[in-house]
Amino acid sequence: MGYGEVYADWAANPDAFWMKAAEAIDWDRAPSHALDDRNAPLYGWFADALGNTCYNAVDRHVEAGHGDRVAIIHDSPVTGSKERITYADLRERVARLAGALASRGIVKGDRVIIYMPMLPEALVGMLACARIGAIHSVVFGGFAAPELAVRIDDAAPKAILLASCGIEPGRVVAYKPLVDAAIEMANVKPETCFVLQRPQAVATLVEGRDFDWLQAAAAAEPVPCVPVGGMDPVYILYTSGTTGQPKGVVRPTAGHMVALAWTMKNIYAIGAGDVFWAASDVGWVVGHSYICYAPLLVGATTIVFEGKPVGTPDAGTFWRVIEEYGVKSFFTAPTALRAIKREDSAGNFIRDYDLECMKLLFLAGERADPDTIVWAQEHLKVPVIDHWWQTETGWAICADPAGIELLPIKLGSPTVPMPGYDVQILSEAGTPAGPGELGAVTIKLPLPPGTLSTLWNAEARFVKSYLTTFPGYYETGDAGMIDADGYLYIMARTDDVINVAGHRLSTGAMEEVLASHPDVAECAVIGVADDLKGQLPMGFVCLNKGCEREPDDVIRECVKLVRDRIGPVAAFKSAVVVERLPKTRSGKILRGIMGRIADGQDYKMPATIDDPAILGEISDTLSKVGLIKNA
Ligand code: COA
Ligand code: AMP
């Protein structure tokens, strides 16, 4: 069957389509049906099934005689170490860590926060939680202590799994003091921390609360997998929304297993024994789905890479890993390719390696610019597939389904909707847009298995954020269009989320931090175009009346404040002091226009602007400090 037939097959009978896909999973109790629409517009999938994600990702492969197959390869150019972990080893490590968690009273439904760099133990921790039905919440290591504290208070974890440090090029980031500070700030106090001690920064343990991870696991009895309900969450993953309060995306167990297993074969063309590499981080959804769960669910080998695309040690690092381990499908972010291209535009490093093993390259996380795609096509000589999805969906909404049929690639488009997704472009009034017409990108409900069921502790926010603007549709927050061939184009976000080096960040959250500075009366943060990272945040602050301080000093403090409160990942480094912010007559800050000015683009004067002269002031100020692009 080609893509058109598979999509039509799904559309004709979604229940039958997903029940068939569910046969790839070993259930403790098989589902009797797929969709549960009793609570519409909140939907469930495989609600009466019983199963365990860790069993399907690990144990069943060992029981089927594949214990010697490599499950995880760890490659760490920043520490100079490499390790291969077989499925049998993995089961042993996971079952013992699960035993250690159980011995500390952690049971099904309890939450566990994981704050880890790119080590195989991050996956061991996730799987150990899944094994006992505990719900993990991985927090990206580049977030600062206050962000971690917000997540601790929301998820109310009984335990935290962490490594003593992460390693960024040129510096060791001690994680333990960050976790200690976050626990100090949080109202909820986790009872247990398991600390993986790394020689680069050995952590001091707090008596009675902190335990050495490896010693605790070695001393524990391995425990078996606990069957959980189809709708029981396997994890919560916090993502940026429009305010400083992150959204806790809840991922139910059964749909997650079914959908991810389906994608490995049909999108990524990967099966048991193949080597798959997603060069992302476990702290992001790509890391959850495609470093940890999906490759393991199908018995493939996954790579955990602790390094950067450039500088660890050079722009050939990705190609070295692909050759050394025989990677068949490779997944990265466009920004990583841009970083490589900037250092090696002629592709000299690429020619140093034999990349015959690599059949497909996948890109996601941000818009893939045509220049980068063409560069990769020319130098790597494989199909370069842009695919579009979000933390909320957990897997690709639109892609080129290489495992079914490789459709012609159109530059700038992540191709076509995957089965399960009825993607529609709607006008502000909710009417369907025609081919090539720009509008809000929406998905007709229900969303397919594997997508979020709700937001943790925030059902009303879930409904308000995603299901209210267009009744009967899920609002993606992206704007775009569909062409006459059914190809989707994503053009922009409709909210204040920006995408910095493939990392999703909220400008609203940064504004909250700036507003807390004692000298700041008012502020705005916008995303400006950046050749490497796609977008970078830029701040505009108005000082309190009578404030006599040097603007540069206030800016320096603002930059530090964002780094300390949100984290280095925010990459907030540019800000200016301005007299006034441009607003509409009703007081809404005109962020879009400020972005166009900073990007050096033309703009139309909005009819609703309160005082047009302010735009000239903004432009002059940015010019003076050299912050206008292409000026
Ligand atoms: N722990 C602590 N700090 C971290 C961190 C972590 N896990 N990850 C990033 N940081 C820090 C970095 O050290 C850097 O700090 P600095 O401002 O002191 O230099 C800051 O956060 C920004 O990091 P990063 O976004 O990685 O930028 P970079 O300039 O170091 O590297 C790229 C640029 C393009 C090479 C890099 O962003 C990259 O590889 N991006 C791909 C992202 C990706 O895969 N996203 C997943 C979506 S699919
Ligand atoms: P995240 O939840 O971090 O994965 O970010 C999701 C958002 O990143 C999407 O809503 C888009 O705005 C953007 N995004 C992800 N992948 C793509 C892509 N292939 N093309 C364009 N935008 C993308």
Side-chain angles (χ1 to χ4, degrees):
M1 275 206 280
Y3 160 76
E5 288 159 292
V6 174
Y7 192 83
D9 187 43
W10 160 73
N13 192 343
D15 229 66
F17 182 92
W18 291 118
M19 285 300 279
K20 176 106 193 72
E23 289 170 14
I25 300 304
D26 287 333
W27 303 101
D28 291 275
R29 183 174 71 213
S32 65
H33 60 283
L35 182 66
D36 178 358
D37 58 3
R38 287 170 301 178
N39 266 338
L42 306 181
Y43 294 89
W45 291 96
F46 311 111
D48 65 355
L50 276 183
N52 183 283
T53 306
C54 179
Y55 178 78
N56 278 278
V58 184
D59 297 54
R60 65 165 169 167
H61 306 309
V62 181
E63 288 171 14
H66 305 303
D68 290 341
R69 188 186 290 156
V70 175
I72 301 174
I73 295 170
H74 182 230
D75 187 294
S76 170
V78 293
T79 58
S81 62
K82 296 176 184 177
E83 188 186 9
R84 285 169 199 257
I85 301 170
T86 65
Y87 273 95
D89 287 347
L90 182 60
R91 182 174 68 171
E92 179 69 12
R93 291 194 197 189
V94 169
R96 284 195 182 278
L97 180 64
L101 286 167
S103 73
R104 296 289 303 164
I106 289 139
V107 296
K108 177 172 173 285
D110 286 342
R111 273 81 56 210
V112 174
I113 280 191
I114 301 180
Y115 190 71
M116 295 282 288
M118 288 297 287
L119 292 175
E121 283 80 4
L123 278 58
V124 171
M126 294 160 82
L127 292 161
C129 292
R131 191 172 190 85
I132 55 173
I135 303 165
H136 63 68
S137 186
V138 182
V139 178
F140 179 63
F143 282 119
E147 286 289 318
L148 183 55
V150 168
R151 288 155 176 79
I152 292 174
D153 276 338
D154 197 64
K158 264 202 188 158
I160 298 186
L161 300 176
L162 72 143
S164 58
C165 65
I167 295 152
E168 283 294 291
R171 72 193 159 106
V172 170
V173 183
Y175 279 10
K176 182 60 171 30
L178 283 168
V179 171
D180 286 341
I183 295 175
E184 184 66 35
M185 283 173 214
N187 296 319
V188 172
K189 307 289 178 197
E191 291 156 21
T192 302
C193 294
F194 286 143
V195 184
L196 186 77
Q197 295 283 21
R198 304 188 82 185
Q200 294 81 3
V202 175
T204 314
L205 304 185
V206 174
E207 176 103 29
R209 186 196 75 187
D210 300 346
F211 302 89
D212 181 289
W213 174 314
L214 296 180
Q215 283 173 11
E221 283 299 317
V223 294
C225 298
V226 173
V228 303
M231 286 302 290
D232 287 339
V234 59
Y235 69 76
I236 304 165
L237 177 57
Y238 288 92
T239 190
S240 299
T242 47
T243 65
Q245 181 67 25
K247 295 169 169 173
V249 164
V250 175
R251 191 84 61 212
T253 293
H256 179 240
M257 289 194 280
V258 172
L260 290 188
W262 186 89
T263 64
M264 283 316 273
K265 176 167 184 287
N266 295 288
I267 299 179
Y268 302 101
I270 289 290
D274 289 334
V275 182
F276 180 77
W277 181 24
S280 178
D281 188 285
V282 284
W284 308 116
V285 70
V286 175
H288 281 63
S289 295
Y290 293 108
I291 296 174
C292 184
Y293 289 113
L296 299 179
L297 282 166
V298 299
T301 299
T302 183
I303 296 182
V304 174
F305 174 75
E306 191 181 22
K308 301 256 174 178
V310 292
T312 61
D314 55 39
T317 250
F318 275 9
W319 322 128
R320 193 263 306 159
V321 170
I322 291 167
E323 180 197 77
E324 189 166 337
Y325 305 114
V327 172
K328 189 173 163 202
S329 290
F330 175 47
F331 180 160
T332 188
T335 189
L337 287 189
R338 287 196 297 270
I340 293 172
K341 179 173 152 228
R342 198 160 73 164
E343 295 212 351
D344 183 26
S345 65
N348 290 325
F349 277 113
I350 297 176
R351 281 189 287 280
D352 286 348
Y353 298 94
D354 176 359
L355 302 181
E356 193 55 36
C357 57
M358 180 170 60
K359 305 297 176 209
L360 298 164
L361 168 61
F362 290 86
L363 299 177
E366 55 167 336
R367 184 171 173 272
D369 52 292
D371 282 355
T372 302
I373 295 186
V374 169
W375 180 83
Q377 285 170 334
E378 279 174 4
H379 290 283
L380 296 165
K381 302 189 172 46
V382 292
V384 179
I385 300 177
D386 176 20
H387 60 329
W388 166 68
W389 49 297
Q390 338 180 278
T391 305
E392 289 84 344
T393 65
W395 60 283
I397 307 166
C398 281
D400 198 332
I404 300 175
E405 170 190 18
L406 195 66
L407 299 173
I409 287 165
K410 292 196 194 186
L411 292 179
S413 168
T415 322
V416 290
M418 291 299 91
Y421 294 101
D422 178 356
V423 178
Q424 300 199 13
I425 310 293
L426 300 179
S427 72
E428 255 177 54
T431 53
E437 263 174 39
L438 199 64
V441 185
T442 69
I443 301 164
K444 192 160 189 307
L445 295 173
L447 291 176
T451 55
L452 80 172
S453 55
T454 187
L455 295 176
W456 184 255
N457 281 340
E459 191 119 294
R461 187 176 180 199
F462 171 62
V463 173
K464 184 163 179 280
S465 308
Y466 301 106
L467 309 179
T468 302
T469 313
F470 303 107
Y473 296 82
Y474 165 87
E475 184 182 8
T476 64
D478 285 319
M481 61 181 186
I482 296 178
D483 73 9
D485 297 326
Y487 279 55
L488 178 81
Y489 293 77
I490 295 293
M491 312 304 284
R493 286 289 301 190
T494 56
D495 54 15
D496 61 3
V497 164
I498 57 170
N499 198 311
V500 179
H503 311 315
R504 173 167 158 183
L505 298 163
S506 160
T507 54
M510 295 184 216
E511 288 178 2
E512 284 176 29
V513 173
L514 296 184
S516 73
H517 187 288
D519 296 322
V520 170
E522 210 182 7
C523 64
V525 175
I526 57 167
V528 296
D530 181 73
D531 291 341
L532 174 65
K533 298 197 173 186
Q535 281 184 297
L536 277 176
M538 185 187 285
F540 295 80
V541 297
C542 304
L543 303 185
N544 287 324
K545 271 218 164 67
C547 172
E548 301 277 307
R549 299 195 53 208
E550 279 300 316
D552 282 355
D553 290 341
V554 178
I555 293 298
R556 234 187 328 274
E557 287 164 14
C558 285
V559 167
K560 183 170 181 314
L561 207 56
V562 175
R563 193 176 170 95
D564 291 348
R565 295 260 185 93
I566 297 181
V569 66
F572 182 84
K573 290 179 179 166
S574 314
V576 283
V577 170
V578 290
E579 277 299 315
R580 306 176 293 170
L581 293 171
K583 290 183 186 167
T584 62
R585 281 188 284 275
S586 59
K588 210 167 157 241
I589 298 174
L590 290 161
R591 293 181 177 78
I593 292 218
M594 292 161 78
R596 292 187 77 83
I597 294 175
D599 287 343
Q601 293 178 349
D602 292 337
Y603 57 86
K604 233 172 64 203
M605 186 66 72
T608 53
I609 193 164
D610 182 33
D611 180 356
I614 302 182
L615 295 182
E617 291 172 22
I618 294 276
S619 177
D620 289 348
T621 310
L622 287 177
S623 299
K624 236 184 264 159
V625 290
L627 282 180
I628 293 195
K629 210 174 156 68
N630 307 323

